[in-house]
Amino acid sequence: MRLSRYFLPVLKEDPKEAQIVSHRLMLRAGMIKQQTAGIYSWLPMGFKVLRRIEQIVHEEQVRAGHIPMLMPTLQPADLWRESGRYDDYGEEMLRVKDRHQRDLLYGPTNEEMITDIFRSHVNSYKDLPLTLYHIQWKFRDEIRPRFGVMRGREFLMKDGYNFDLTKEAALHAYNRHLVSYLRSYERMGLQAIPMRADGGPIGGDYTHEFLVLAETGESEVFYDSAITDLSFGDRQIDYDDVAQCQSVLEEFTSRYARTDETHDEAAFHRIPEERRRSARGIEVGQIFYFGTKYSEPMGATVVGPDGSRVPVHMGSHGIGVSRLLGAIIEASHDDKGIIWPEGVTPFHVGIVNLKQGDGSTDGACEAIYAELKSRGLDPLYDDREERAGAKFATADLIGLPWRITVGPRGLASNKVEVTSRRSGDSVEMSPRDAVGRICDIYRPILGLPAPGS
Ligand code: P5A
């Protein structure tokens, strides 16, 4: 993309309404625009990151054997009357009437609807196990929407639902979700720690929240610092291997880590004092096992091996897709702006032309831009008629992890500069080597072909 033709409405001043850094930077970098409290338009660069996050979530869900689909945002109230949650959900639920005076609601979650789909089409235990998921907008009329996309009223969630014959099988589904979430967050450059939590309005007493540690987080958390040494890395997982998924769960949940709702002072004090931590965290996901809470009242049963009908065991599993943008920025920024992890960056590399209009500089930039694109990368070429200082400030604000700076002085000796946004380190090299270097960085992340292949 050429910046001169893009829509990147950056703000020069800090917006007054933003109380936390991610909200401020998303507004300043022209990623979102608030339409009313807790409801945002996603401007092109914000939308691009949202799509990258969705893509990672899809890839990891499909890898775990879960099946994508799409349910509507509007739901009939009658389904929620069956589960009893139509009244329980209270003022957070946005209720509407259609022209025939039928009650609808804008879905805050989809347990009822997916249970209805299941009972309409599945009849036998032989069709289990089954896990369906979608990525869809939700609405919760939060009393205090704030911090931009962190606590929105309309927000994007990945929500998945498992259907199993037995509790044991449903707990394997729970473990599969835990493993796939660990992988997903790491691909986004985040450490998200699973912590024992409370079921809240979704229900169930077996549930973990995934928390990204950040001072601005809304949750109070208590944990053993040894847990922060764990990383999932590139281990290979067979998602059908019950013991393997169970052992990952044990590895990541055996240390003390709880939100304030389930915090137990006595257990906390059994951790050696130097490893005891209390901090704040951003909840970027939650997984639940709730057994037959929905299947029983809604009649979602299957014919079991002995011929009798039994309600299925279920769980639901959510990732806060739109909230993740805020969480990633909270975890990765400096005083100049955002620092995107390579896995989610809107553009892989920025090209900064220091002398727009100079024939050889323009030519070198065009060649680098074309070569990067032909190798499968997504560069942003700053071809605006702007001073170098302004171009650098924009590059720093929008936070692309890599920058190639091209100017007449360097080109005289066939050199451009490659700069890391994170470390600030710059290295001079030929334009050809610069392209090779950027491709090497992204090859494992994007699965690009090896050089010369
Ligand atoms: C699990 C999937 C559920 O709703 N039902 C379907 C279950 N869980 S949850 O914890 O309530 O939400 C899942 C994740 O959605 C994000 N989230 C939000 N993001 C932005 N603004 C909000 N107001 C908001 N509310 C929830 C969180 O990341 C949460 O973990």
Side-chain angles (χ1 to χ4, degrees):
M1 178 53 68
R2 290 166 198 278
L3 191 46
S4 63
R5 297 190 197 162
Y6 198 47
F7 182 62
L8 185 72
V10 297
L11 305 179
K12 291 217 165 56
E13 304 294 326
D14 276 340
K16 280 192 224 41
E17 70 265 35
Q19 294 163 297
I20 60 168
V21 70
S22 58
H23 189 195
R24 177 162 58 80
L25 289 174
M26 286 183 79
L27 291 169
R28 283 206 52 207
M31 297 175 67
I32 50 170
K33 180 182 186 317
Q34 181 174 305
Q35 303 297 164
T36 183
I39 300 183
Y40 291 86
S41 288
W42 292 79
L43 305 181
M45 204 178 72
F47 182 56
K48 222 161 184 293
V49 181
L50 195 67
R51 282 278 181 261
R52 297 244 200 255
I53 292 174
E54 274 187 80
Q55 186 60 31
I56 291 175
V57 171
H58 273 304
E59 285 172 15
E60 294 304 329
Q61 287 309 297
V62 169
R63 195 194 302 277
H66 306 157
I67 305 171
M69 61 174 296
L70 187 61
M71 288 173 270
T73 52
L74 288 179
Q75 306 188 17
D78 282 344
L79 279 180
W80 288 66
R81 292 193 174 104
E82 287 188 52
S83 71
R85 282 208 296 180
Y86 190 61
D87 295 326
D88 291 354
Y89 225 92
E91 300 225 280
E92 252 184 38
M93 180 183 275
L94 182 67
R95 297 154 206 257
V96 272
K97 277 194 195 294
D98 69 10
R99 59 164 67 191
H100 305 291
Q101 302 306 306
R102 280 187 291 247
D103 291 322
L104 300 174
L105 56 101
Y106 192 134
T109 177
N110 282 61
E111 280 80 7
E112 284 77 359
M113 185 167 278
I114 199 83
T115 306
D116 177 56
I117 292 170
F118 180 89
R119 71 182 171 186
S120 307
H121 299 288
V122 182
N123 194 38
S124 163
Y125 78 97
K126 290 182 188 150
D127 296 323
L128 305 181
L130 179 65
T131 296
L132 300 166
Y133 79 93
H134 72 164
I135 298 181
Q136 177 61 291
W137 294 94
K138 304 285 184 288
F139 196 95
R140 292 182 186 172
D141 205 351
E142 302 274 353
I143 191 156
R144 244 185 330 148
R146 56 182 191 156
F147 300 163
V149 300
M150 286 284 207
R151 179 164 295 281
R153 292 199 295 165
E154 188 185 45
F155 61 96
L156 192 59
M157 190 201 288
K158 169 264 158 182
D159 40 325
Y161 305 86
N162 69 283
F163 301 92
D164 288 277
L165 182 62
T166 61
K167 178 172 179 182
E168 292 65 45
L171 289 178
H172 173 54
Y174 186 94
N175 297 351
R176 262 192 340 259
H177 281 89
L178 181 126
V179 175
S180 67
Y181 281 22
L182 290 171
R183 269 188 77 107
S184 306
Y185 297 125
E186 273 198 22
R187 282 185 63 186
M188 297 171 202
L190 281 177
Q191 182 175 45
I193 303 172
M195 299 198 181
R196 277 306 289 267
D198 181 73
I202 306 297
D205 51 13
Y206 189 49
T207 175
H208 284 91
E209 285 182 3
F210 289 77
L211 286 121
V212 173
L213 298 174
E215 279 168 26
T216 49
E218 294 193 280
S219 312
E220 191 179 10
V221 297
F222 301 85
Y223 62 97
D224 176 345
S225 67
I227 204 165
T228 57
D229 298 333
L230 296 175
S231 84
F232 192 81
D234 57 3
R235 48 181 115 176
Q236 297 303 309
I237 290 285
D238 173 355
Y239 281 100
D240 290 329
D241 185 333
V242 172
Q244 196 185 28
C245 292
Q246 174 69 24
S247 84
V248 174
L249 173 116
E250 280 165 16
E251 182 185 341
F252 280 83
T253 61
S254 59
R255 309 265 183 198
Y256 188 92
R258 295 190 183 199
T259 62
D260 55 354
E261 299 147 348
T262 58
H263 179 53
D264 172 350
E265 270 299 312
F268 188 54
H269 277 86
R270 287 198 285 276
I271 308 169
E273 193 174 351
E274 67 280 8
R275 297 208 318 251
R276 261 179 243 154
R277 299 281 186 281
S278 69
R280 303 205 66 84
I282 303 167
E283 180 205 326
V284 292
Q286 187 163 3
I287 54 178
F288 302 81
Y289 163 73
F290 44 67
T292 58
K293 171 173 172 169
Y294 299 90
S295 56
E296 225 165 77
M298 294 186 68
T301 59
V302 289
V303 177
D306 65 0
S308 66
R309 292 202 83 91
V310 284
V312 287
H313 285 258
M314 291 174 60
S316 72
H317 315 276
I319 292 183
V321 173
S322 49
R323 175 179 286 183
L324 272 164
L325 275 92
I328 292 169
I329 297 173
E330 289 296 325
S332 186
H333 67 269
D334 63 14
D335 53 5
K336 293 190 225 133
I338 303 166
I339 307 174
W340 290 116
E342 275 93 355
V344 298
T345 183
F347 296 97
H348 298 128
V349 52
I351 304 166
V352 170
N353 183 334
L354 292 180
K355 198 160 187 203
Q356 205 67 46
D358 172 70
S360 67
T361 314
D362 290 356
C365 287
E366 293 289 344
I368 292 170
Y369 179 60
E371 184 61 21
L372 286 166
K373 289 213 300 185
S374 79
R375 304 251 214 130
L377 289 178
D378 189 1
L380 180 68
Y381 172 21
D382 190 345
D383 59 342
R384 297 169 305 160
E385 305 279 348
E386 283 279 1
R387 287 174 305 105
K391 291 192 178 187
F392 288 141
T394 302
D396 285 342
L397 173 65
I398 68 173
L400 309 186
W402 296 94
R403 189 181 80 208
I404 302 177
T405 310
V406 186
R409 205 173 314 151
L411 283 176
S413 50
N414 194 35
K415 294 270 193 275
V416 297
E417 207 177 59
V418 175
T419 307
S420 155
R421 173 71 180 85
R422 192 170 293 281
S423 69
D425 295 343
S426 291
V427 190
E428 282 198 332
M429 59 185 84
S430 69
R432 188 192 156 93
D433 286 349
V435 169
R437 176 74 166 270
I438 300 297
C439 289
D440 287 345
I441 291 163
Y442 284 101
R443 186 164 293 113
I445 296 166
L446 302 177
L448 300 176
S453 66

